[in-house]
Amino acid sequence: MYTEKVIAEFTNPQNVGEIADADGVGEVGSPACGDIMRIYLKIEGDRIADVRFRTFGCGAAIASSSMATRMILGMSLAEAWAVSNADVVEALGGLPPAKVHCSVLARDAIRAAINDCRTRRGLEPWEVRSSGCSRGAGCDSHPENG
Amino acid sequence: MYTEKVIAEFTNPQNVGEIADADGVGEVGSPACGDIMRIYLKIEGDRIADVRFRTFGCGAAIASSSMATRMILGMSLAEAWAVSNADVVEALGGLPPAKVHCSVLARDAIRAAINDCRTRRGLEPWEVRSSGCSRGAGCDSHPENG
Amino acid sequence: MNDQDQRPVYMDHAATTFMKPEVIAAMAPYFSQHFGNPSSLYRFARESRMGVDEARREVGAAVGASPEEIFFTAGGSEADNWAIKGVALANRKRGDHIVTSSIEHHAVLHTCEWLEKQGFSVTYLPVDEFGLLDPGDVRDAITDRTILVSVMAANNEIGTIQPVAELGRVAHDHGVLFHTDAVQAVGAVPIDVDRMGIDLLSLSGHKFYGPKGTGALYIRRGTRIENLIHGGGQERGRRAGTENVPGIVGLGRAIELATADIEAHNRRIAAMRDRLVRGILSAIPDARLNGHPTERLANNANFSFRYVEGESILLLLDAHGICASTGSACSSASLEPSHVLLAIGLPHEEAHGSLRLTLGDANTEEDVDYVLEVLPEVIGRLRQISPLTPAHARMPEAD
Amino acid sequence: MNDQDQRPVYMDHAATTFMKPEVIAAMAPYFSQHFGNPSSLYRFARESRMGVDEARREVGAAVGASPEEIFFTAGGSEADNWAIKGVALANRKRGDHIVTSSIEHHAVLHTCEWLEKQGFSVTYLPVDEFGLLDPGDVRDAITDRTILVSVMAANNEIGTIQPVAELGRVAHDHGVLFHTDAVQAVGAVPIDVDRMGIDLLSLSGHKFYGPKGTGALYIRRGTRIENLIHGGGQERGRRAGTENVPGIVGLGRAIELATADIEAHNRRIAAMRDRLVRGILSAIPDARLNGHPTERLANNANFSFRYVEGESILLLLDAHGICASTGSACSSASLEPSHVLLAIGLPHEEAHGSLRLTLGDANTEEDVDYVLEVLPEVIGRLRQISPLTPAHARMPEAD
Ligand SMILES: Cc1ncc(COP(=O)(O)O)c(C=O)c1O
Ligand SMILES: Cc1ncc(COP(=O)(O)O)c(C=O)c1O
C-alpha cells in the first residue's frame, strides 16, 4: 500500500530527536488518535538551522515527519510555513487516501513550531485554519501562501 | 443417484409391449405429471401367464415397471395384488426418495390391471386405498396383504 | 449398449465447464506460495493484492466497466441475490416494485419471491414462444413505485438472448435501475455495460472455463445498494470475507480468455451446433427446437421430443457416454417440468420431454457425429416403450 | 536492516494460512477432470457428488455433527451472516432480541448492526480484562424476546477461548438457540456440537490450511433458519449456487488433517509460542501480553508495547521479513484501534500499540529465535522516535 519512497523514509528516518535549546516546539495529535508529532526548530537569522522530530504513529506519520523536516531544513520560516501537506505527499511519492491525514499532521506540527518561535520572539502567531484548508485554494490567510 | 440395478433394469427393460388379447389392462398417471404406466395382463387359470407394460416417464418409472412386471409373472392375482411398492424398491436395490412414487405407480398400475380382470370376470374389484397405504402396515384391507 | 469406458462426450457446458489449463496455471502460485491475506500490510501479501487487482481489471475490461465497479462474489447466485436484494432494500423509500421475466434463473426468481414475502411486489413478465421478452411489456409494467428491472441477458435452458440494450433504455427512460443476469452470456455475447445501459450485472466463473465458486457483480458507480454479506472491509467495504485469491485470479484469467475473440469462438461452436440441430431434426420425427431460431446462444440446442420423458433420455444417453441435460427437474425433489418451457407455451408433456445439448471448447465434429448416431436410436427405444407413441411413430415390436 | 530477500517468517496464521500439499492434491482432480456439476444426472458427475459427500462427512466428523447438518458456504463471513440473519428472520414471530459479545468478529457485529436497522434489538455483552465472557451475564441478558445467543468460540485477535459449553447450556436453559463463530477455533479447540450445546457453528477453510473462499455452517437438525442465498436446490435447498467442488473437497481434507490430533499439534505450537512470549516480555520493558493467560489459542500471542504504534511495528518487522498483524486497523480506512483491545480495557494508546503473532505449522524454533532477535530492536528504534517514551526507556541518542 505504501510507495517505496515512504518505506525508505520510514525505515531510515532523518532528523529524529530533540533540540535541547530549541527556538520553537510544536506538537499536534493525541495518543488516543494514534498519532502525535512533536517538532523542534533551531533558527539562525530567519533560517531553520536545525530541525528534529519525535513521532508516535504509523509508518506514514513517521515518514511524513522525516520528509517534512528534511524539506524545511534551511528554509525561512515563511517558506516553511508555505509547505503544504500536498508537497509532503508529493515528496513521498504519494500516500494511501487513509493516510493523507499524516501529511496534514506534519504540516500542522511545523506550523505550530513556527508560531511557537514567533510567540517567543513576541510576534503575532500566523493564523492557523482548520486542517481542511490544505484542500482548497484561497482559504489560507497567510500572505506567503500560494 | 440410481443404483446399478435400477440402471441395468432401465437400460434393458423386460416385458415391454402390449398384449392384444389381454384379460386386464391398468393405466395410471398422466402426461402432465410426467409419468404414465399401462400394464397388460394375460391370465391362465389364476396365474399371470403373460404381462407387458408401456411407460412414459423417467428412468425410475421404466425400471419400476420392468421390475414389477418381472416380479408378478407367474403369480396368482392375489399374490400380485400383495406386491407392495416397497417390494419393488427393494428388488431395485433402492430408489432415491424423490423417485419412490414411481414404485407406487407400478403397484397401482398392477392393481388397476388386476381389478380390470376381476371386473371383466364379473367380480367385485378389490378395494383400492390411496397410495399413502403402502407406507403403513395394516391399512390395506386386502386379506392376502401382510 | 454400454459404452461406459469411452471418454464422455460432454455436451452440458451450460451446467458447468472444465477449467482451462491456463486458468489452473494462473491460480497455482496462490495456493501455498503467494497465500497472503490481501488485507495484510506486509510486502508478502502484495502478490495477493496484485493478483486480485489484476483480475478486477480483467473482469472490468470484459464488460466495459472500470475495475472499481467490479465486486467479487462466490458465484452467480450470490451476485443475483446481492443485486436484487441489495437494490430493493436500499431503495425501499423510493419504491417497492420490481419487474422481471418469467424465465429467469431460480437465483433471480426465488430472490424475488423472498422479497415479495418482505412486502415488495414483483411483476413476472411473460415471453413469446421463442423466449423473447417485449421491451414494450417492460415499459407498461413500470410504475412510479418501480425501483428495478431485472432481466437475464441469455437464458440458461433455451439460450434465447434478450434485447438487453433496449431493456436498459426502457428502464433508464423511467429512472429505474437495470440488472441483468449475464451468467450464461459472458463469453458468448459481447457486453458493454455503458452501451447497454446496465447498472448491475451478475456473472459466474465456472460457466466460462473458470473456477466454480467464483463470480462477480458489476455495480455502476453511484448505485444505491445494500450489502448482502456484512463484516470485514473487503471489496471496499461492500462484500465481507477474506478474498478467494486463487479463485479470483482464475476468474480473471478465464474471462480474459473467454472474451478475447467471442466472434471466432461463436462461429466455430455455432457451426457444430447447427449441424447437430439439422441432423437431429431430420433424423427424429415429432421433434422441435425450443428457443429462438437466431437470437440464441451459439452453443445451445434445446429440443422437445414428443411421447418421451427427458430424464429417461438423459439416462440412455449417459449409458452411451453422452452428458446432457433436461428441463425436467428430475434431480431435484420437484417433478415439475421447466418453468421456462412452460413459459414459452409448451404443453406439460412436451415440457417433460426436453433435452438440452450445450457445446463447448472441447467438443469436436466427431462428438456431433456420435450424438447424431446415438440420439435417434435412444429416442426410438423410448418411444417403443411409451404408451403415448402413435403406431406410425413406433418401430415394429422386437420381441 | 533490510532482509527483503530472505524467506519471510510468517507469523500471521490467524489472518490466513497456506494450503497444505495434501489439500492441493485432493483438489487437483476436480479442476478439469472430475469437473461435472454435482446436480447433473449422468455418471460423469458422480465423482463431483462423491467428493462433496465425502467432504461433508469429514466436516461433520470434525465437529461431532452428522453430514446432513453441514452446509457449505463461501467462507466464515457468509456462514456468520447466514446463521444470524437466517435465525433472526425465521424466528421473528417468536422474538426480536439477540445476545452477543462486544469482541465478536465484524462478520458477526456488522450483521447484528444490520439486524438492528431491521428492527431487532441486540445486546453486546462486555468481557473481562482477559476477554472472557461471563455466562451469568448471558443469562441475565436473555429476555422472553431473545431468539439467539451468538458468541465466538475463540477470539481472532487475543485468542481467548470462551466457555462455549456453558454458554450453550445457558442458552438452552432458556430455550434460546446458540450460534458460535468457530472460525478461529476449528483445528485448535476440540469441538463437539452436542456436548457443547451448539445449534449453529461457522467455520472457514483458509484458517486451517484449506482453501480461501470455502467454509461451512453447521445447522442442528430442526433449527428454524431462513436462506441467505436463494436460488437453485443445492445444499438440500438451503444454499443456492453451483457447488465449489474443488474448494469443498479441499475444505474436507483440510479439516480432517487439522482435527486429526489437535492435542499434539497444540503442544508443539504452544511450546514455541510460550518461548516467544517469555522471550519478548523479558527482553522488552513496558510490554504486556493481551488475552487470557491459559484460556487462549495455542498459537496466539498478542502484545501491547507502550509508547509505540502498531502499524509502525509491523512495517519495521516487515522490513526484516517478519509477517505479523496489529489491532490497529490501519489497512482499512478507519483509524480506530481494535474494538477487542478496547473491550478488554486497554487505553487507546496501548490499543494502538498492539502486535499479534500467530504461529502455524511451518514455523520453526529458528523463526522464534529470529523474532526474539529482531523485535526488541524494532521496538527500541520506534521508542527512540516516539515522543511518549520516558527517558528511562530510551537508549542514548545515536546521532
Ligand atoms: C473469528 C472470525 N470470524 C469470521 C471470520 C471471517 O472469515 P472469512 O474471512 O473466511 O469470511 C474471521 C476471519 O477473517 C474470523 O477470524
Ligand atoms: C442464468 C443463470 N443465472 C444464475 C446461475 C447461478 O450461478 P451459480 O451456480 O454460479 O451460482 C446460473 C447457473 O447455474 C445461470 O445459468
Side-chain angles (χ1 to χ4, degrees), chain C residues 12 35 42-43 212 228 318, chain D residues 12 35 42-43 212 318:
Chain C
D12 201 14
F35 70 86
Y42 32 79
R43 287 164 297 153
K212 292 178 171 60
L228 179 69
D318 186 28
Chain D
D12 200 14
F35 69 86
Y42 32 78
R43 286 164 298 153
K212 292 178 171 61
D318 186 27

Side-chain angles (χ1 to χ4, degrees), chain C residues 14-15 74-78 80 105 107 152 154-156 181 183-184 204-207 213-214, chain D residues 37 234 240-243:
Chain C
S77 299
E78 184 193 328
D80 283 339
H105 191 269
M152 68 202 318
N155 184 270
N156 46 307
D181 174 345
V183 168
Q184 292 288 341
S204 181
H206 72 102
K207 305 289 190 184
T214 69
Chain D
N37 189 319
Q234 292 91 351
T242 302
E243 296 87 342

Side-chain angles (χ1 to χ4, degrees), chain C residues 213-343:
Chain C
T214 69
L217 181 62
Y218 155 79
I219 306 177
R220 181 178 293 281
R221 200 175 281 112
T223 303
R224 290 175 62 91
I225 180 166
E226 265 197 18
N227 289 0
L228 179 69
I229 299 182
H230 297 86
Q234 291 91 352
E235 298 296 290
R236 283 142 294 146
R238 293 276 184 96
R239 197 275 194 182
T242 302
E243 296 87 342
N244 176 1
V245 180
I248 288 170
V249 167
L251 175 69
R253 189 79 185 95
I255 205 168
E256 196 185 21
L257 294 170
T259 55
D261 192 354
I262 291 180
E263 223 178 283
H265 172 264
N266 279 354
R267 252 196 316 273
R268 194 185 89 84
I269 297 281
M272 285 198 285
R273 191 267 321 265
D274 291 343
R275 194 163 71 85
L276 188 68
V277 170
R278 278 194 308 271
I280 288 172
L281 294 181
S282 71
I284 305 177
D286 293 333
R288 59 167 274 172
L289 179 70
N290 298 315
H292 200 280
T294 59
E295 295 301 301
R296 75 185 301 145
L297 294 172
N299 76 339
N300 174 290
N302 186 305
F303 304 95
S304 283
F305 300 106
R306 294 187 68 177
Y307 324 129
V308 297
E309 189 273 347
E311 191 220 87
S312 62
I313 306 175
L314 291 200
L315 286 177
L316 271 193
L317 287 176
D318 186 28
H320 288 83
I322 296 169
C323 299
S325 160
T326 174
S328 247
C330 281
S331 60
S332 78
S334 143
L335 300 163
E336 290 294 301
S338 145
H339 65 286
V340 176
L341 298 179
L342 294 180

Side-chain angles (χ1 to χ4, degrees), chain A:
Chain A
M1 53 177 283
Y2 288 132
T3 62
E4 288 302 320
K5 271 192 182 171
V6 174
I7 295 290
E9 197 72 27
F10 162 72
T11 51
N12 210 3
Q14 304 299 305
N15 306 319
V16 172
E18 297 170 18
I19 300 176
D21 57 345
D23 298 309
V25 181
E27 178 174 314
V28 294
S30 85
C33 294
D35 30 34
I36 301 177
M37 277 184 210
R38 191 188 297 158
I39 286 193
Y40 301 82
L41 296 178
K42 186 74 200 163
I43 313 295
E44 282 173 16
D46 186 43
R47 299 272 145 192
I48 296 174
D50 197 7
V51 50
R52 300 278 144 160
F53 78 91
R54 288 213 187 276
T55 290
F56 162 80
C58 63
I62 292 171
S64 296
S65 316
S66 172
M67 180 56 79
T69 54
R70 291 209 286 136
M71 289 166 77
I72 63 169
L73 186 63
M75 282 186 176
S76 71
L77 288 189
E79 285 165 350
W81 185 276
V83 169
S84 73
N85 83 299
D87 298 334
V88 177
V89 171
E90 199 192 318
L92 289 169
L95 277 179
K99 296 296 185 179
V100 169
H101 81 103
C102 295
S103 64
V104 176
L105 224 52
R107 185 206 57 185
D108 290 352
I110 290 169
R111 292 186 173 188
I114 291 173
N115 272 343
D116 187 40
C117 292
R118 289 181 59 86
T119 316
R120 292 197 202 181
R121 292 184 188 174
L123 297 170
E124 278 285 291
W126 284 328
E127 190 177 345
V128 179
R129 287 283 178 88
S130 76
S131 53
C133 276
S134 56
R135 295 221 192 109
C139 73
D140 195 329
S141 67
H142 190 261
E144 282 121 45
N145 230 24

Side-chain angles (χ1 to χ4, degrees), chain D residues 58-195:
Chain D
E58 285 159 350
V59 175
V63 299
S66 59
E68 302 77 45
E69 296 172 309
I70 302 299
F71 298 87
F72 292 113
T73 69
S77 299
E78 185 194 328
D80 283 339
N81 274 257
W82 183 13
I84 297 172
K85 294 178 192 173
V87 164
L89 297 178
N91 293 277
R92 199 160 203 166
K93 289 214 183 84
R94 284 193 41 232
D96 56 7
H97 179 234
I98 293 169
V99 176
T100 188
S101 88
S102 50
I103 62 165
E104 297 297 311
H105 190 269
H106 283 147
V108 168
L109 289 181
H110 291 167
T111 297
C112 286
E113 286 157 17
W114 182 82
L115 283 172
E116 287 187 279
K117 282 198 270 171
Q118 313 303 312
F120 289 84
S121 76
V122 181
T123 302
Y124 302 91
L125 290 173
V127 293
D128 71 12
E129 59 180 310
F130 304 114
L132 271 184
L133 183 62
D134 182 346
D137 288 351
V138 174
R139 178 175 298 112
D140 295 344
I142 291 176
T143 72
D144 57 0
R145 306 287 304 154
T146 309
I147 49 180
L148 179 69
V149 171
S150 177
V151 177
M152 69 202 317
N155 184 269
N156 45 307
E157 291 192 37
I158 55 175
T160 303
I161 298 169
Q162 300 296 341
V164 174
E166 282 182 68
L167 296 168
R169 205 170 312 119
V170 168
H172 285 188
D173 281 352
H174 295 77
V176 173
L177 292 172
F178 178 52
H179 167 248
T180 191
D181 173 346
V183 167
Q184 292 288 342
V186 168
V189 179
I191 287 171
D192 185 313
V193 291
D194 285 338
R195 195 176 52 73

Side-chain angles (χ1 to χ4, degrees), chain C residues 19-317:
Chain C
M19 282 165 62
K20 284 196 182 153
E22 299 94 321
V23 172
I24 302 175
M27 294 170 68
Y30 296 89
F31 290 142
S32 53
Q33 190 186 350
H34 309 317
F35 70 86
N37 189 320
S39 301
S40 296
L41 263 183
Y42 32 79
R43 287 164 297 153
F44 171 64
R46 199 194 290 153
E47 299 288 342
S48 301
R49 275 194 296 278
M50 281 172 21
V52 171
D53 288 349
E54 171 69 9
R56 207 182 301 282
R57 274 192 295 278
E58 285 159 350
V59 174
V63 300
S66 59
E68 303 77 45
E69 297 173 309
I70 302 299
F71 298 87
F72 293 113
T73 69
S77 299
E78 184 193 328
D80 283 339
N81 274 256
W82 182 12
I84 297 172
K85 294 178 192 173
V87 164
L89 298 177
N91 293 277
R92 198 160 203 165
K93 289 213 182 85
R94 285 193 40 234
D96 56 6
H97 179 234
I98 294 168
V99 176
T100 187
S101 88
S102 51
I103 62 164
E104 297 297 310
H105 191 269
H106 283 145
V108 168
L109 289 181
H110 291 166
T111 297
C112 287
E113 287 158 16
W114 183 83
L115 282 171
E116 287 187 280
K117 282 198 272 171
Q118 314 302 313
F120 289 84
S121 76
V122 181
T123 303
Y124 302 91
L125 290 172
V127 293
D128 71 10
E129 58 180 311
F130 304 114
L132 271 184
L133 183 63
D134 183 346
D137 288 350
V138 174
R139 177 175 299 112
D140 295 344
I142 291 177
T143 73
D144 56 0
R145 307 287 304 155
T146 309
I147 50 180
L148 179 68
V149 170
S150 177
V151 177
M152 68 202 318
N155 184 270
N156 46 307
E157 290 191 37
I158 56 176
T160 303
I161 299 169
Q162 300 296 341
V164 173
E166 281 182 67
L167 296 168
R169 204 170 314 120
V170 168
H172 286 188
D173 281 352
H174 295 77
V176 173
L177 291 171
F178 179 52
H179 166 249
T180 190
D181 174 345
V183 168
Q184 292 288 341
V186 169
V189 179
I191 288 172
D192 185 312
V193 290
D194 285 338
R195 195 176 52 73
M196 293 174 154
I198 297 167
D199 299 303
L200 303 111
L201 177 143
S202 308
L203 58 88
S204 181
H206 72 102
K207 305 289 190 184
F208 45 82
Y209 311 96
K212 292 178 171 60
T214 69
L217 181 62
Y218 155 79
I219 306 177
R220 181 178 293 281
R221 200 175 281 112
T223 303
R224 290 175 62 91
I225 180 166
E226 265 197 18
N227 289 0
L228 179 69
I229 299 182
H230 297 86
Q234 291 91 352
E235 298 296 290
R236 283 142 294 146
R238 293 276 184 96
R239 197 275 194 182
T242 302
E243 296 87 342
N244 176 1
V245 180
I248 288 170
V249 167
L251 175 69
R253 189 79 185 95
I255 205 168
E256 196 185 21
L257 294 170
T259 55
D261 192 354
I262 291 180
E263 223 178 283
H265 172 264
N266 279 354
R267 252 196 316 273
R268 194 185 89 84
I269 297 281
M272 285 198 285
R273 191 267 321 265
D274 291 343
R275 194 163 71 85
L276 188 68
V277 170
R278 278 194 308 271
I280 288 172
L281 294 181
S282 71
I284 305 177
D286 293 333
R288 59 167 274 172
L289 179 70
N290 298 315
H292 200 280
T294 59
E295 295 301 301
R296 75 185 301 145
L297 294 172
N299 76 339
N300 174 290
N302 186 305
F303 304 95
S304 283
F305 300 106
R306 294 187 68 177
Y307 324 129
V308 297
E309 189 273 347
E311 191 220 87
S312 62
I313 306 175
L314 291 200
L315 286 177
L316 271 193
L317 287 176

